[in-house]
Amino acid sequence: MGMMSEFKEFAVKGNAVDLAIGVVIGAAFGKIVDSLVTDLIMPIIAFITGGVDFSNKFMVLKAGTTAEPYATLEAAKKAGAVTWNYGSFITAIVMFAIIAFVLFMIVKRLNALKAPPAAPATPDDVLLLREIRDSLKK
């Protein structure tokens, strides 16, 4: 078997194709969650906290070429300042919590669809009648 045919077999194997589709869907899902957090959730949190914009929350560790204070994180980076971006970290935590919750709900739903429904417990009177029936058969 030549190398090309082995590669073809590998590339079209179900697992490789499923993985590729999962990666593409995962990247698209990541963009949706990023927009959800950045455009919808964080503005609400900023409104509740009195206008705090977490994307611009940072601490300057080393000043850049221009004098402080920097109005935005972008301005600090443009000036070459070394910053500690705790606002980005807060945003990442919110994004992780949302992704984890959504994945939990998806897995929970899939498991509910896969699992066969549990058979209801047989009532005691039916069990007793079966025992009587079996005894009469003997």
Side-chain angles (χ1 to χ4, degrees), residues 89-104:
F89 182 70
I90 292 170
T91 302
I93 289 172
V94 171
M95 287 178 68
F96 171 78
I98 291 169
I99 291 170
F101 180 73
V102 168
L103 289 176
F104 167 75

Side-chain angles (χ1 to χ4, degrees), residues 1 3-14 16:
M1 198 185 229
M3 184 185 276
M4 203 57 174
S5 61
E6 286 181 40
F7 175 73
K8 182 180 175 185
E9 182 182 331
F10 167 77
V12 297
K13 203 182 263 188

Side-chain angles (χ1 to χ4, degrees), residues 21-44:
I21 291 170
V23 168
V24 171
I25 289 175
F29 183 70
K31 289 180 183 179
I32 290 170
V33 171
D34 184 42
S35 176
L36 174 71
V37 171
T38 305
D39 300 330
L40 299 178
I41 294 177
M42 292 313 259
I44 292 171

Side-chain angles (χ1 to χ4, degrees), residues 2 4-5 9 12 28 35 40-41 47-48 54 56 61-62 64 66 70 72 85 94 106 111 116 122 129 133:
M4 203 57 174
S5 61
E9 182 182 331
V12 297
S35 176
L40 299 178
I41 294 177
F47 176 75
I48 292 170
F54 284 99
N56 279 312
L61 300 176
K62 180 181 174 198
T66 60
Y70 303 108
T72 64
N85 309 324
V94 171
I106 289 170
N111 286 341
T122 308
L129 288 170
R133 178 197 64 202

